[in-house]
Amino acid sequence: MANGESEVGVDAPAGGFVQLLTPDGERIDSVTTADGATYSVDFTDDEYRELYKDLVTVRRLDAEATALQRQGELGIWASLLGQEAAQVGSGRALRPQDMAFPTYREHGVLYTRGIDPIMPFGLFRGVDQGGWDANKYKFNGYTIVIGSQTLHATGYAMGVTMDGKTGGPDGEAVIAYFGDGATSQGEVNESFVWSGVFNAPIVFFCQNNQYAISEPLERQTRIPLYRRADGFGFPGIRIDGNDVLATFAVTRAALDNARNGQGPTLIEAYTYRMGAHTSSDDPTRYRIASEVESWKAKDPISRMKAFLTKQQLADDAFFGEVDEAARTLALDLRERVLAMPDPQPVTMFDHVYPNGSPEVDAQRKQFAEYQASFEGSAH
Ligand SMILES: Cc1ncc(C[n+]2csc(CCOP(=O)(O)OP(=O)(O)O)c2C)c(N)n1
Ligand SMILES: [Mg+2]
């Protein structure tokens, strides 16, 4: 909850969180936090159904990517499984003019920005750098360097103010995505300082999926992450990150506050990484099955399905159509991945500097010779 506490929300951690849809699919009309802000959503029946469709679609394309990685078609994959509501809810809360700075796991946000979902497949296959136009879609390139994008986002947000682009419904706001682990990085804390003192129009959206690879949350912080904002002088709020409605409501309000000159907000989306950190990780080495099971009961998609069913907003025919459309998209992605070329490792030197550098050129030459030494031999 926001600064000042009460135990609210079904299955909430101590201190509570903003929740508008319980794990059983019960709708909570509105939530008022200790600082007096009230959160609610006012969706049409179609908008509720569209949100459900988004959730199912991004889970399906993520599952296809995981399968393709296992079949040797992608070099690695960072799955969003379990984090669909945090990503779809926050992504849909962005207005068209808002700018997003993702990590490497934000395939769901990417999808909500209207980017062709094939793009991250090329990146994780190693054949390109992602390939989307960051300015056209207002969604920057993926970053692997933990926390670095929060500084880029802060600088960009300060620029938005300097360019006079804030204010009113058409004003621009910025969102920076990062994980629980990233909060230990200097960059993230520096971003908090700069955004705070410059009152930058930015929302810090932390997906607390409970792990930084194998490190659990209790090895990362002594206080709930949203309370870190107190020390930097801006509001922090925790939401049920498996609740797409609460995620939408709180993110939309924080972005609108930012665009209207009220400065940054830190949102902690309390969620869970259901899969491995990446396809290179084995989570059974550091967490127990019962923990994963307990989070299955809080699944973001099944609660939305339960809600739609109880409210008679959707029937089996609708759910079947959504599944079929997601399957068709996944098969299309598969075909397009299979048609991609093999990665050429030597291209890793291509984008280090825009105009080249003697040192990198020498490294490229050395690597190309090394590679050529294998040619013709079985490897
Ligand atoms: C600066 C830096 N240090 C270390 C790493 C290695 N690394 C990759 S992912 C990761 C954990 C990140 O955890 P979190 O921020 O919680 O994000 P999540 O992967 O859970 O989404 C680390 C330490 C890195 N990529 N960059
Ligand atoms: Mg994490």
Side-chain angles (χ1 to χ4, degrees):
M1 288 297 289
N3 322 321
E5 318 295 332
S6 61
E7 290 274 351
V8 283
V10 175
D11 283 344
F17 52 26
V18 177
Q19 182 182 69
L20 295 173
L21 190 63
T22 71
D24 290 337
E26 294 296 337
R27 183 79 170 76
I28 297 156
D29 264 355
S30 69
V31 174
T32 301
T33 55
D35 56 9
T38 297
Y39 297 100
S40 187
V41 289
D42 184 19
F43 288 126
T44 63
D45 295 353
D46 270 343
E47 285 169 337
Y48 280 124
R49 284 189 286 262
E50 281 302 312
L51 275 177
Y52 174 81
K53 191 172 178 190
D54 282 346
L55 295 170
V56 171
T57 305
V58 302
R59 177 169 292 183
R60 187 65 181 83
L61 68 86
D62 184 76
E64 199 63 29
T66 298
L68 282 162
Q69 195 284 330
R70 286 294 184 248
Q71 291 158 359
E73 297 295 339
L74 303 181
I76 187 172
W77 184 251
S79 168
L80 60 67
L81 187 64
Q83 299 176 222
E84 296 87 353
Q87 296 200 9
V88 166
S90 60
R92 288 290 177 213
L94 294 168
R95 297 191 190 272
Q97 70 272 22
D98 293 340
M99 181 60 113
F101 288 80
T103 74
Y104 42 78
R105 204 184 289 287
E106 265 72 74
H107 327 304
V109 186
L110 175 143
Y111 179 77
T112 66
R113 295 263 83 188
I115 296 172
D116 184 341
I118 195 68
M119 294 294 182
F121 288 73
L123 176 66
F124 283 96
R125 186 175 170 96
V127 295
D128 57 44
Q129 312 282 320
W132 61 88
D133 181 337
N135 285 316
K136 179 174 173 203
Y137 294 101
K138 311 273 325 192
F139 184 86
N140 278 267
Y142 279 2
T143 42
I144 307 283
V145 184
I146 301 298
S148 58
Q149 76 285 1
T150 60
L151 280 179
H152 308 157
T154 298
Y156 181 93
M158 290 166 64
V160 167
T161 307
M162 289 172 194
D163 288 346
K165 289 189 188 155
T166 50
D170 298 331
E172 183 172 349
V174 178
I175 190 163
Y177 287 90
F178 54 101
D180 45 285
T183 62
S184 299
Q185 286 290 126
E187 283 93 329
V188 173
N189 293 274
E190 290 156 12
S191 300
F192 289 174
V193 171
W194 280 73
S195 292
V197 297
F198 282 91
N199 204 43
I202 186 167
V203 174
F204 291 105
F205 192 89
C206 176
Q207 286 170 82
N208 174 2
N209 63 8
Q210 312 298 328
Y211 287 92
I213 313 185
S214 55
E215 287 294 293
L217 187 69
E218 64 266 22
R219 290 283 172 279
Q220 300 176 45
T221 187
R222 280 184 70 153
I223 60 163
L225 293 174
Y226 72 99
R227 285 182 52 198
R228 297 266 183 93
D230 284 351
F232 297 92
F234 53 83
I237 184 163
R238 184 162 57 195
I239 58 174
D240 181 346
N242 285 11
D243 169 359
V244 70
L245 306 183
T247 305
F248 179 93
V250 173
T251 311
R252 173 54 71 85
L255 286 164
D256 285 349
N257 286 344
R259 87 180 78 254
N260 288 314
Q262 294 181 50
T265 300
L266 169 62
I267 298 175
E268 177 189 352
Y270 199 80
T271 181
Y272 193 77
R273 196 196 74 212
M274 295 299 290
H277 169 68
T278 67
S279 47
S280 308
D281 170 48
D282 173 9
T284 62
R285 301 278 297 269
Y286 55 82
R287 67 185 191 188
I288 52 173
S290 60
E291 180 185 296
V292 183
E293 281 305 308
S294 74
W295 278 89
K296 269 191 191 151
K298 305 176 200 180
D299 185 69
I301 298 186
S302 45
R303 75 175 70 183
M304 199 57 187
K305 189 172 186 177
F307 165 71
L308 292 175
T309 306
K310 278 182 203 171
Q311 299 296 315
Q312 299 187 331
L313 296 177
D315 55 15
D316 284 348
F318 170 80
F319 295 127
E321 278 163 31
V322 170
D323 288 345
E324 191 50 34
R327 186 172 162 270
T328 304
L329 173 66
L331 292 180
D332 175 60
L333 291 169
R334 164 169 291 270
E335 267 178 32
R336 291 163 74 192
V337 168
L338 296 181
M340 285 178 183
D342 286 345
Q344 298 298 323
V346 77
T347 61
M348 74 175 128
F349 298 97
D350 285 357
H351 299 285
V352 179
Y353 292 105
N355 302 314
S357 113
E359 199 182 340
V360 173
D361 291 347
Q363 288 176 10
R364 179 193 288 109
K365 187 164 169 286
Q366 192 187 8
F367 182 79
E369 283 163 8
Y370 173 71
Q371 233 190 340
S373 71
F374 291 104
E375 253 157 43
S377 65
H379 56 274

